[in-house]
Amino acid sequence: MRRALRLAALGRHASPNPMVGCVIVSPEGLIVGEGFHPQAGQPHAEVFALREAGDKARGATAYVTLEPCAHYGRTPPCADALLAAGVTRVVAAMTDPDPRVAGEGLVRLRAGGVEVVEGILEAQAQALNAAYCKHRMTGLPWLVLKTAMTLDGKIATATGDSQWITSAISRKAVHRQLRDRCDAILTGVGTVLADDPSLTTRLTQRAGRNPWRIIVDSHLRTPLTSNVVRLAKGDGRTILVTTSTADPEKIAEFEACGCEVLLCASVDDGRVDLTDFAHQLGTRKDIISVLLECGGTLAAGLLSAGLVDRWISYIAPKVVGGSGAPGPLGSLGITLMSHARPVTFQKVRRCGPDIVIDARFG
């Protein structure tokens, strides 16, 4: 199962499908087939492993990190493929939280005479597919806050200068380990006005996957000449999030440039209701994980609404100082230490000269 999990992790572009790995072991204890799910629309891990195993799959054990599917989607059910191949035992790390499966794959296998074992390295399998599990169980996307700050917790100087806080090594790591693996990057209109980011994935040794670009813009102040709008003309992968009271003429201008405009409810001060936004985004089938690269106000709003699941903080060996220099959570507003939001440190590591803290909420 550990080998299957390592294979599953190779499917970094599988989203919005889960990352799945499969290892087929003969009755003699030899690995005769392996596979992982590379991306949506391509065969599942079990299919690749069965192809490699061929006739050796008969009487074998299949170790799979996620319950084999039992429904027709873009590909036929994997449970049926395992039965047809003559596999006699299936070891699954976890059941599939997708309501279309939810145990039905294992039921079908047992009905076909296959011995089924569940729950082997279940926690590791769930962690690998945390975004998929949350989306299937709650209907909400998995939100990851990424920040870069100095040792004294500043994301910019008092004058707003922020380039660059962390090292080139860390910035490359963000593209390779975060941007390339998420479905969307979210920022606020303030960041667009200040930095005019492209929000693309830039890798040196292979082609990366450009995520959707999501801009929270309550009053549609994003310039039509900005990079996020310019890129939308080519790929149509920019979403402007605004309120239902937005100017229809402005909406039409952005749509003419290839942008999608998502209309959300507003809170009392006219800003986008972030909870409504998250629920609407969760209804899409192509976005289950979102990387937050935004300013402190938007980050604090998402955190206060209980929408942030993971925080990855890159901390540089620099000190800025100054009461006017902003921090990563500009307006969270907790007044008592007893009310502070607890986090769990999953991992602390070095990235060049910087330190990276990977934390989870909840």
Side-chain angles (χ1 to χ4, degrees), residues 28-59:
E28 295 76 27
L30 301 175
I31 292 178
V32 294
E34 295 183 333
F36 68 93
H37 180 47
Q39 64 183 53
Q42 293 194 20
H44 291 183
E46 298 93 323
V47 174
F48 283 113
L50 288 171
R51 286 178 182 175
E52 184 176 306
D55 293 339
K56 295 177 181 178
R58 190 159 300 278

Side-chain angles (χ1 to χ4, degrees), residues 218-264:
S218 301
H219 305 291
L220 290 183
R221 295 186 293 143
T222 298
L224 294 175
T225 56
S226 63
N227 283 323
V228 292
V229 175
R230 177 183 57 81
L231 289 168
K233 296 176 182 179
D235 61 16
R237 291 171 66 84
T238 295
I239 301 173
L240 289 172
V241 183
T242 190
T243 70
S244 54
T245 60
D247 185 346
E249 292 186 2
K250 286 187 176 181
I251 293 175
E253 288 179 339
F254 285 112
E255 290 177 337
C257 292
C259 299
E260 290 188 30
V261 179
L262 180 62
L263 300 180
C264 298

Side-chain angles (χ1 to χ4, degrees), residues 1-23 34-40 42-49 62-69 71 75 78-79 82 90-98 101 124-130 132-133 136:
M1 189 61 77
R2 289 190 179 92
R3 173 62 181 166
L5 286 166
R6 287 195 294 271
L7 288 168
L10 297 176
R12 61 179 66 88
H13 294 161
S15 184
N17 287 355
M19 292 184 284
V20 182
C22 179
V23 176
E34 295 183 333
F36 68 93
H37 180 47
Q39 64 183 53
Q42 293 194 20
H44 291 183
E46 298 93 323
V47 174
F48 283 113
Y63 293 85
V64 61
T65 59
L66 183 72
E67 169 191 3
C69 62
H71 66 285
T75 59
C78 290
L82 291 166
V90 171
V91 181
M94 60 177 287
T95 57
D96 193 332
D98 190 321
V101 185
Q124 292 91 322
Q126 291 174 339
L128 182 67
N129 281 306
Y132 174 80
C133 291
R136 291 301 188 270

Side-chain angles (χ1 to χ4, degrees), residues 86-138:
V87 169
T88 57
R89 183 168 178 259
V90 171
V91 181
M94 60 177 287
T95 57
D96 193 332
D98 190 321
R100 295 174 299 175
V101 185
E104 288 300 315
L106 301 181
V107 168
R108 185 173 298 189
L109 290 169
R110 289 190 173 106
V114 174
E115 178 189 354
V116 175
V117 179
E118 304 175 52
I120 305 301
L121 300 184
E122 182 177 29
Q124 292 91 322
Q126 291 174 339
L128 182 67
N129 281 306
Y132 174 80
C133 291
K134 181 190 179 185
H135 184 261
R136 291 301 188 270
M137 290 188 293
T138 69

Side-chain angles (χ1 to χ4, degrees), residues 327-339:
L329 298 176
S331 58
L332 190 57
I334 289 176
T335 57
L336 296 175
M337 190 58 68
S338 59
H339 296 169

